[in-house]
Amino acid sequence: MSEQARTEQELARYRRALAALTVVALAVLVALVVLLIRMWQPKGLDVRATRSGGLRWVRSIYGYGPSRAEQLQSPTDVAVGPDGTVWVTDPGRGRVLGFSRSGALRRIIGSVPATGHARVLVRPEGVGAAADGSVYVADYGRGIVLRFDRSNRVTGEWRVPAPMDVAFHEGRIAVSSLYGVAIIERDGSVKTWGKRGRGAYDFDVAHGIAFGPDGSVFVADTQNGRVKAYAADGTLRWIATGVGSKAATASAVATVAAGSFEIASGMAVDASGRVMFCDPFESVLVVLDGRTGRELAKHGELGARDGELQYPSGIAYDAGQDRVVVADTRNGRVQVFEVPGSAPAPRALARRSMRFAPLLAVLAAFMVFVLWAWRRRHRGASSDMQGAAEDIRNEDSC
């Protein structure tokens, strides 16, 4: 074989290798795009295509082991921490448990005496999580709200008679109780809203409370069969009443909305500003317009299978996953759902995709660099070979 033929064959091999690398690089980039699209519509490891009353079931958490002591008994409230920890109150066993989003046990508060505190939890009814990782527990049995750090040390406590739920927002703590609402301000002072009764400004077993993004406060006035919305300064904004509510309303309130729910328990606010709570009597989740209190939707079906509910009493919104976590009390478990319309599409897409954006950027940059380096290296080799081939041709023509 002549020198010219060998040179041209080698040049052809380089071109084929370059074409193959280009195809591989394009395939990797397409895979990255597909991965990004799938992240926009995330599914948990055990998500099934199961819909129950409009809800998409993701997973259920029953406990952390097979024995009865390791199982949840009758969970009443849930919260989601900034790291994704799902906090669950288990009043019958006097403890609060922290699970990963996939259901693995991370921490237990209350099963043994807390460091720095002589007594265990008696009946933890409500739980809240702060941005710094602190966990707030409303212990109904002791009439106290406790703050625990990441090492289960008690770093704060406040006396509140019969507390039932707790929420945290930018240094303020909101506690709902048998008798009303207590707001613990940043300076430690405590303000109370209302008293036990049926008046427009009263409460009767407030079993749910949540902050809105602007500091507004939403309360489940359970036995009065209504939900109440307050401005950050305590001004009553609207009342949403259920079908069985016999409590009074206030003419000064801007909005009095009539809903189709029976009672309200638990409270959460999603990324769209919608208010969500449980109706234990109907075993559904109810969604209200956070601005007016108008009922938007009801989701759920009665039953004991995964995806169904029996007497749910607590709810939390997981902003990192755009999902809701529900304390399915009578079924002795926690369930995770995707709820239709829980976040505006652009915001949800951005939140979901940004979780892996750094990895995608690194992979894309690496592939671009490899392709550039290969092309640069072999462009030079190709030029040399072409020059050699031209020299051979000139020699042959002489």
Side-chain angles (χ1 to χ4, degrees):
M1 180 182 294
S2 67
E3 185 69 23
Q4 179 181 354
R6 285 196 298 270
T7 302
E8 290 179 347
Q9 284 184 349
E10 189 169 354
L11 179 60
R13 285 198 300 270
Y14 276 120
R15 287 173 176 169
R16 287 195 297 269
L18 180 60
L21 182 61
T22 302
V23 171
V24 171
L26 290 176
V28 171
L29 290 177
V30 170
L32 292 176
V33 172
V34 172
L35 178 61
L36 183 60
I37 293 174
R38 290 181 64 86
M39 286 191 301
W40 287 349
Q41 299 174 337
K43 296 177 176 60
L45 294 177
D46 51 357
V47 172
R48 302 176 188 174
T50 302
R51 289 188 178 274
S52 177
L55 299 172
R56 182 180 179 85
W57 175 77
V58 176
R59 68 177 55 86
S60 298
I61 301 173
Y62 289 86
Y64 58 94
S67 70
R68 293 187 62 183
E70 295 170 320
Q71 296 288 300
L72 296 170
Q73 191 176 60
S74 296
T76 56
D77 196 26
V78 286
V80 180
D83 61 349
T85 299
V86 177
W87 294 100
V88 187
T89 59
D90 198 7
R93 303 194 190 281
R95 62 189 181 183
V96 176
L97 301 95
F99 297 91
S100 68
R101 286 189 173 111
S102 62
L105 181 69
R106 286 182 171 175
R107 281 168 59 188
I108 299 178
I109 299 174
S111 59
V112 296
T115 304
H117 208 275
R119 292 166 291 183
V120 297
L121 300 173
V122 176
R123 183 181 162 186
E125 193 73 22
V127 63
D132 64 356
S134 298
V135 179
Y136 292 80
V137 178
D139 190 341
Y140 181 91
R142 291 177 50 204
I144 196 171
V145 174
L146 298 169
R147 180 178 63 208
F148 295 88
D149 65 10
R150 297 179 185 270
S151 300
N152 285 6
R153 290 190 298 262
V154 176
T155 59
E157 59 179 80
W158 299 267
R159 290 286 173 184
V160 178
M164 309 202 78
D165 198 8
V166 59
F168 183 88
H169 177 72
E170 295 183 353
R172 302 180 82 202
I173 307 168
V175 184
S176 63
S177 73
L178 192 70
Y179 308 103
V181 171
I183 303 294
I184 304 169
E185 300 290 355
R186 298 174 182 86
D187 60 3
S189 61
V190 180
K191 298 177 181 177
T192 58
W193 299 349
K195 64 183 187 307
R196 192 169 189 181
R198 292 191 173 185
Y201 297 93
D202 298 336
F203 300 91
D204 189 7
V205 185
H207 199 279
I209 196 164
F211 280 104
D214 60 351
S216 54
V217 180
F218 301 92
V219 185
D221 189 4
T222 306
Q223 295 288 48
N224 280 329
R226 62 189 180 185
V227 173
K228 300 163 74 174
Y230 293 83
D233 62 0
T235 302
L236 184 59
R237 291 172 42 210
W238 52 255
I239 300 176
T241 59
V243 293
S245 178
K246 297 181 180 179
T249 56
S251 59
V253 177
T255 304
V256 179
S260 63
F261 59 92
E262 293 284 344
I263 63 172
S265 181
M267 189 62 58
V269 180
D270 69 8
S272 296
R274 304 184 310 171
V275 175
M276 297 187 288
F277 59 90
C278 304
D279 184 346
F281 286 2
E282 293 193 357
S283 293
V284 296
L285 307 183
V286 184
V287 182
L288 305 181
D289 187 321
R291 297 167 298 176
T292 65
R294 181 174 62 89
E295 186 174 305
L296 300 177
K298 291 168 69 174
H299 304 289
E301 292 181 354
L302 174 65
R305 296 179 300 178
D306 285 332
E308 298 174 339
L309 300 166
Q310 280 198 72
Y311 205 88
S313 59
I315 186 171
Y317 178 67
D318 183 352
Q321 296 284 304
D322 189 26
R323 294 170 176 166
V324 296
V325 184
V326 179
D328 189 8
T329 305
R330 191 157 292 169
N331 282 324
R333 64 191 177 190
V334 169
Q335 297 202 73
V336 182
F337 296 99
E338 292 177 355
V339 181
S342 59
R347 188 185 307 175
L349 294 179
R351 183 190 302 115
R352 290 165 175 170
S353 61
M354 284 304 293
R355 285 180 293 157
F356 295 101
L359 176 61
L360 292 175
V362 170
L363 290 175
F366 175 75
M367 291 305 303
V368 170
F369 172 77
V370 170
L371 183 61
W372 171 81
W374 180 275
R375 288 180 63 86
R376 182 179 182 185
R377 175 182 176 183
H378 292 287
R379 184 181 295 139
S382 175
S383 299
D384 292 342
M385 292 177 188
Q386 289 176 345
E390 185 66 26
D391 292 341
I392 292 172
R393 294 191 191 97
N394 293 335
E395 290 176 1
D396 292 342
S397 63
C398 292

